[in-house]
Amino acid sequence: MTKIFVITYSTFGHINKVAQSIVKGLEKGGVEVGRYQIAETLSDEILAKMHAAPKPDIPVLNPKDLPEADGYLFGFPTRYGTTPAQVKTFFDATGGLWTKQALAGKPAGFFFSTASQHGGQEVTVLSSLPILAHHGIIYVPLGYANAHLFDNSEVVGGSPWGAGTIANGDGSRQPSQKELEIAETQGEQFANVAKKLSA
């Protein structure tokens, strides 16, 4: 069975909530799901001062284990339109896989959170594509596969680049039902693509 890793870094919990819908869509799409988080680099003292959410009870992924999956969906908040340092640290540890091109030909996608509507959801993915290119990983966008992406009646995170949520600067806004449905669509759509590539 095709195996997909859902790999997240989340400071305040928004990404982990979106990830639950991603996983739901993947399972609906008929693939095996491995759920992992990226290691924290900040101290407990700093995280406490930030009022960060407790880390979920899921395993931390060692980058060397990435080849065990047939594809990847990465979820993380934006930091000034790019990946958080923790995610960059994770990818910086994949040099050994890069030299072997161990991930080449595998599909990957992204989902994300920002503080505001214009906080960099699309550019966060765009700035992450060089990582995929160097590994030979195939980027799979969401496209407009869910009608909520056309909805202008309220704030809705996500874009054709991937599912997303708007968290507010203080983290007070939680993922909406529409955002979670977009995430589920992304999971199911990604599963279908990954199954074709791994056949």
Side-chain angles (χ1 to χ4, degrees), residues 62-67 72 90 93-104 134-135:
N62 187 320
K64 71 178 179 58
D65 294 328
L66 282 167
Y72 318 96
F90 176 84
T94 62
L97 299 175
W98 166 73
T99 59
K100 299 172 187 173
Q101 285 295 282
L103 309 179
H134 281 262
H135 278 287

Side-chain angles (χ1 to χ4, degrees), residues 110-112 121 125 139 141-143 149 157-164 182 186:
F110 298 96
F111 57 101
F112 30 76
Q121 293 205 355
V125 176
Y139 169 56
L142 170 60
L149 292 170
S159 75
W161 296 81
I182 291 168
Q186 183 176 7

Side-chain angles (χ1 to χ4, degrees), residues 128-196:
S128 302
L129 293 183
I131 297 168
L132 303 190
H134 281 262
H135 278 287
I137 296 172
I138 301 166
Y139 169 56
V140 179
L142 170 60
Y144 281 90
N146 186 293
H148 293 321
L149 292 170
F150 292 99
D151 187 353
N152 291 317
S153 67
E154 61 182 277
V155 173
V156 179
S159 75
W161 296 81
T165 188
I166 312 295
N168 282 343
D170 60 0
S172 61
R173 183 182 182 275
Q174 292 300 309
S176 70
Q177 185 60 37
K178 289 179 181 178
E179 291 168 343
L180 297 176
E181 288 174 11
I182 291 168
E184 185 175 339
T185 297
Q186 183 176 7
E188 186 173 8
Q189 180 193 38
F190 188 86
N192 292 333
V193 172
K195 285 189 296 186
K196 290 175 184 176

Side-chain angles (χ1 to χ4, degrees), residues 14-59:
H14 298 79
I15 284 294
N16 289 325
K17 187 166 185 180
V18 175
Q20 291 173 3
S21 291
I22 291 279
V23 169
K24 185 177 178 182
L26 286 166
E27 291 174 341
K28 188 186 291 185
V31 297
E32 180 182 349
V33 180
R35 182 70 177 89
Y36 296 95
Q37 62 182 319
I38 288 173
E40 182 58 77
T41 60
L42 297 175
S43 68
D44 290 341
E45 180 183 3
I46 296 297
L47 290 170
K49 289 180 178 179
M50 293 172 63
H51 306 288
K55 295 299 179 188
D57 186 22
I58 56 175

